Amino acid sequence: SASPVTVLGLGLMGYALADALLTAGHQVTVWNRTPAKADPLVARGATLAPSVREAIESSPLTISCVLDYDTQHALLTPAAGALHGRTLVSLTNGTPAQARETEAWALALGATYLDGGIMAVPHQIDTPEAFLFYSGAQDPFDQHHPTLSVLGTPHHLSTDVGVAALYDLALLSAMDMMFAGFFHATAVATSHKGTSATDFAPHLVAWLTSMLSMVPLMAADIDSPAAPAYAQSLDLVAAAAQNMADAAREAGVLPDHFDRSVTALRQRIASGETEYTAASAVSQLRVPARG
Ligand code: NDP
């Protein structure tokens, strides 16, 4: 039978997690700063705990999903003694360093700890699109796998507890830059009177979808010492970046990103480089080690 589970935090995401666990037949205990958010869950059979400590004491597994790690730490500290012999899973968004600190803190209390990242929006929880990254000890992941599987496909990435947050934030960074690209493209295209964002969007979706198929090929190039399958001349890439900057300017859109690209590409050309490859684009991003 489904094991008892506690959810701390009933914001949009925590609520979706608790709701999915209830639907799957778990005995769910919840706690939230604003207790009224638990009402519909309680009506469906969840138990609202009067304190974080009592919430943790109700289950072998506590899933925490609040605003950030500072909030989470402040909530857990007065209830820390209750974690002994129990498993804490943080699905609060945070950095690898915060995951490592929290693991050390939990281990010192005699708890087991998993750090997680939710790759879904609340309405996708408990659907095939949802996947979650976990890192930390293998044992609690294996033990709680059936419960964690309710939320979305669980991927245990590493016993290094920081890796889930690293991948999570890497993917969020890619999403953020993709949306920034969408916003920029839409500003440029809709500078033409008569073009709406809605008119333009299908072209953008088709283009980005087609370009996404390049990702595995470029990734293989990045990993391989052999000559890259995909390369362009730096002159060509710099000329295109210049056109993107100028077209933005003509459209009354801020060209800053492309101006910086042009400057960086021209510096590479001036230093004798000729090829634009995925591997060189990635290595350009690394902060140089201090000599
Ligand atoms: P919400 O803003 O909807 O909820 C925030 C939660 O944190 C609420 O439970 C809130 O309590 C609680 N909280 C905030 N400040 C405090 C405080 N000072 N003391 C106690 N509790 C506090 O956010 P989400 O539920 O959407 O997000 C929760 C976590 O999930 C975040 O780390 C987020 O990055 C992550 N996440 C969210 C996704 C999304 O699409 N929404 C996607 C993937 C991850 P109260 O109800 O009382 O305000």
Side-chain angles (χ1 to χ4, degrees):
S1 67
S3 63
V5 54
T6 289
V7 177
L8 303 178
L10 297 175
L12 293 176
M13 185 53 87
Y15 187 96
L17 302 176
D19 196 43
L21 291 162
L22 262 182
T23 301
H26 287 268
Q27 186 185 316
V28 179
T29 300
V30 295
W31 180 89
N32 194 49
R33 174 180 63 175
T34 309
K37 288 191 187 171
D39 290 350
L41 297 169
V42 170
R44 295 183 50 219
T47 302
L48 175 63
S51 67
V52 172
R53 168 178 285 273
E54 283 157 278
I56 293 170
E57 284 169 353
S58 302
S59 311
L61 169 64
T62 289
I63 295 171
S64 169
C65 186
V66 292
L67 176 67
D68 57 21
Y69 269 72
D70 288 344
T71 303
Q72 180 170 278
H73 194 70
L75 293 176
L76 291 173
T77 298
L83 285 169
H84 184 88
R86 295 192 162 89
T87 300
L88 173 66
V89 177
S90 171
L91 297 182
T92 298
N93 191 255
T95 66
Q98 287 174 321
R100 293 198 178 94
E101 282 165 23
T102 308
E103 183 190 56
W105 178 84
L107 292 181
L109 293 166
T112 48
Y113 181 71
L114 288 170
D115 199 78
I118 307 171
M119 306 319 305
V121 294
H123 76 261
Q124 292 174 319
I125 293 301
D126 195 15
T127 73
E129 289 111 83
F131 62 102
L132 291 88
F133 292 138
Y134 294 94
S135 51
Q138 187 73 43
D139 280 355
F141 179 78
D142 293 341
Q143 187 189 340
H144 296 293
H145 190 274
T147 308
L148 300 177
S149 297
V150 169
L151 310 176
T153 306
H155 299 287
H156 188 268
L157 298 173
S158 176
T159 53
D160 174 345
V161 75
V163 178
L166 190 72
Y167 275 37
D168 180 354
L169 289 168
L171 290 191
L172 289 185
S173 304
M175 176 187 76
D176 192 75
M177 290 186 182
M178 181 193 75
F179 282 125
F182 160 51
F183 299 142
H184 179 91
T186 300
V188 170
T190 59
S191 71
H192 172 257
K193 284 205 184 1
T195 298
S196 71
T198 307
D199 295 333
F200 181 65
H203 299 301
L204 189 116
V205 170
W207 176 242
L208 290 183
T209 303
S210 139
M211 287 300 101
L212 267 182
S213 65
M214 298 289 294
V215 167
L217 308 176
M218 292 168 120
D221 277 350
I222 291 165
D223 290 339
S224 165
Y230 172 83
Q232 287 176 290
S233 89
L234 266 178
D235 286 338
L236 179 100
V237 174
Q242 185 66 63
N243 288 341
M244 288 184 253
D246 292 344
R249 225 177 251 106
E250 285 171 27
V253 174
L254 295 173
D256 312 32
H257 168 82
F258 298 98
D259 284 342
R260 281 195 299 277
S261 289
V262 169
T263 302
L265 290 162
R266 298 236 180 274
Q267 276 168 6
R268 288 173 65 185
I269 293 166
S271 74
E273 282 188 65
T274 57
E275 270 201 334
Y276 181 86
T277 64
S280 67
V282 172
S283 73
Q284 286 288 315
L285 290 171
R286 300 211 186 274
V287 178
R290 288 179 182 234

